[in-house]
Amino acid sequence: HRRQPFGLCRWPGLRPFERKIAAVYYLNKAWPKDAGGFFVDLPTGRRFPPAFNTLIVFEVPRMHEVTKVANGMRRFSIFGWWLVPRDVREDERAAVTKAK
């Protein structure tokens, strides 16, 4: 099994894709502010609580973290990525350059 570059998805027989956009949609109603679970955008330091019916969308890669959730709390969300086809020739050029 060969490691794939960050954000690159490859399925056998299919063209490779890369992640361009990530999204997190929060489902918890009445989330207490002291319960943690904040999405933290590391480049800016901005913190977003997991507020009900909130969607956070960001370009990938983007450094971020989620703060610890308080004991006994369960943070529910749906997350996913928008993928775009990756130029296979770009992968081949990178492999040739690396081999030189």
Side-chain angles (χ1 to χ4, degrees):
H1 175 69
R2 185 172 71 95
R3 279 186 74 105
Q4 299 296 323
F6 175 79
L8 179 65
C9 304
R10 187 182 301 268
W11 289 274
L14 295 178
R15 184 174 178 188
F17 289 83
E18 63 182 321
R19 298 174 191 159
K20 282 295 189 185
I21 303 290
V24 182
Y25 179 67
Y26 294 112
L27 303 170
N28 290 81
K29 290 186 178 181
W31 184 262
K33 291 188 191 251
D34 61 350
F38 284 78
F39 178 97
V40 181
D41 178 50
L42 294 176
T44 65
R46 290 186 65 195
R47 299 164 50 97
F48 301 90
F52 177 70
N53 203 29
T54 298
L55 178 68
I56 295 179
V57 179
F58 54 97
E59 290 186 44
V60 175
R62 178 115 184 144
M63 296 301 295
H64 65 282
E65 68 182 13
V66 176
T67 62
K68 183 178 178 180
V69 174
N71 287 338
M73 296 295 296
R74 292 172 46 173
R75 182 177 155 273
F76 295 103
S77 63
I78 298 172
F79 70 93
W81 299 277
W82 277 261
L83 306 174
V84 295
R86 182 175 176 101
D87 183 356
V88 176
R89 292 168 295 177
E90 182 180 318
D91 290 342
E92 292 168 357
R93 284 192 298 271
V96 168
T97 302
K98 190 175 183 179
K100 287 182 180 181

